[in-house]
Amino acid sequence: MGAVSDREENGLQLGNELESWFNSRAFTDKKTVTPWGAPILWYGTYDPKERDEFYKRRNTVIGMTVFAVARYIDRFLKDFLETAEKHFMRGQRVIYYVLVDDVSRVPWVEMSPGRTMTVIRVPKYPRWQDISMMRMHHLSQLIQERVRSEVTYLFCFDVDLLFIGSFGPETLGDLVGQLQAGLYPARVKDYTYERRPESAAYIAPGRGDYYYHAALFGGRPDHVYNLTRACLAGVMKDKASGIEAVWHEESHLNRYFLEHKPTKVLSPEYCWDRTSRSYIKYPRVKWIPEEYSSVREN
Ligand code: UD2
């Protein structure tokens, strides 16, 4: 699909580009760079003013997808969108792609100038597991049909989240993964990867870098497209083999990121599970406490 990476676009190497606004030496008590040289973003690793200057010079449009199917529309969507309007890419051009099974129940949310919302109808699968996993199918279709020609970067979010702090353009990159708060830091052997070799999401013991969270991922549309296609292929292969990965599409996402390393990694501050930890200084998004019995239909 011929993407131009951040590095190629700027004519710079990753390290050089980051030196302009990313400080990899900000902390000694937490990792700021992955073993393959991608930045791990924490509050304090960048200067927001320099970051804003850096992105102002680019004509960037940021897309964001969120699915709300069945009871998730009434329970989560309004708060999610209202808090995103306060904190997600403030001052940037944003297109929200809201995927729902009932268009008539999408709440009205006032948008700031330069920000628009598009509502797309998706089917309601009978099982919540399929509602969650088949997002990979609908995402890949949406990227192919319109997102590729409409935005520069795309983020894909779960809906049972609230934005509580600035989620800004420092997070933009070719392929962006999020460290799952509950498994950071953790030993590789404790990551909850799919361990059954029959599954397409299988990761062998001893392998793995981090445990990534499927509640949020992103990148340039063509990279996100490749990710969604690969995860969907894994889900469908598993269905044909009569197996379902332990953490559904999240297991397939972890397998994908093992083989296609993210170029930018978001620390647990960017999707926080509300547990108090000394290294969480500035949470940006928090999960709403689980209410599975009241929101899931099976
Ligand atoms: C976790 C992950 C999620 C996914 C899932 C797979 C978190 C915060 N999220 O979510 O990314 O990997 O595990 O097991 O840990 N949805 C609906 N209607 C439904 C069911 C799901 O709209 O009836 C959508 C909605 O956008 C929701 C997402 O699918 O946020 C994931 O479902 P979930 O939040 O119920 O699953 P959860 O919290 O176990």
Side-chain angles (χ1 to χ4, degrees), residues 15-199:
N16 291 339
E17 181 200 24
L18 292 175
E19 270 167 25
S20 68
W21 58 272
F22 179 77
N23 179 9
S24 63
R25 288 178 291 277
F27 301 107
T28 50
D29 61 335
K30 47 196 180 195
K31 286 248 178 272
T32 56
V33 180
T34 67
W36 58 94
I40 305 176
L41 293 185
W42 299 89
Y43 180 69
T45 52
Y46 61 90
D47 176 337
K49 278 206 193 92
E50 285 185 37
R51 169 207 66 186
D52 289 347
E53 278 305 309
F54 183 87
Y55 283 102
K56 216 184 277 169
R57 295 195 299 270
R58 292 163 167 69
N59 190 20
T60 307
V61 181
I62 301 146
M64 157 208 301
T65 64
V66 62
F67 286 71
V69 173
R71 296 179 187 159
Y72 284 54
I73 302 181
D74 302 324
R75 172 61 188 90
F76 299 116
L77 190 54
K78 190 169 169 54
D79 291 342
F80 176 89
L81 290 169
E82 282 182 349
T83 59
E85 268 302 279
K86 286 200 187 101
H87 299 293
F88 180 72
M89 306 289 171
R90 288 292 303 158
Q92 305 283 331
R93 287 163 62 204
V94 169
I95 304 175
Y96 296 97
Y97 300 93
V98 177
L99 297 101
V100 293
D101 61 320
D102 183 352
V103 173
S104 70
R105 280 166 41 221
V106 173
W108 183 83
V109 174
E110 190 170 351
M111 302 269 141
S112 305
R115 299 165 74 98
T116 56
M117 183 165 104
T118 295
V119 178
I120 294 137
R121 202 178 157 277
V122 288
K124 177 175 132 184
Y125 297 93
R127 299 171 64 241
W128 72 262
Q129 294 89 338
D130 287 320
I131 295 177
S132 194
M133 290 190 293
M134 292 308 280
R135 288 183 294 171
M136 292 297 180
H137 167 61
H138 298 290
L139 282 173
S140 68
Q141 260 188 352
L142 181 68
I143 296 169
Q144 182 83 311
E145 286 166 10
R146 53 189 299 181
V147 166
R148 285 170 67 187
S149 59
E150 294 179 348
V151 310
T152 332
Y153 295 98
L154 180 68
F155 267 108
C156 308
F157 280 92
D158 274 10
V159 73
D160 52 344
L161 306 172
L162 292 175
F163 289 82
I164 55 171
S166 168
F167 194 112
E170 74 279 1
T171 58
L172 301 174
D174 286 356
L175 185 62
V176 184
Q178 155 74 37
L179 300 183
Q180 213 267 13
L183 288 167
Y184 181 90
R187 290 167 301 186
V188 174
K189 75 175 183 54
D190 294 328
Y191 293 157
T192 53
Y193 295 146
E194 175 55 60
R195 298 299 190 188
R196 291 167 296 175
E198 309 83 77
S199 170

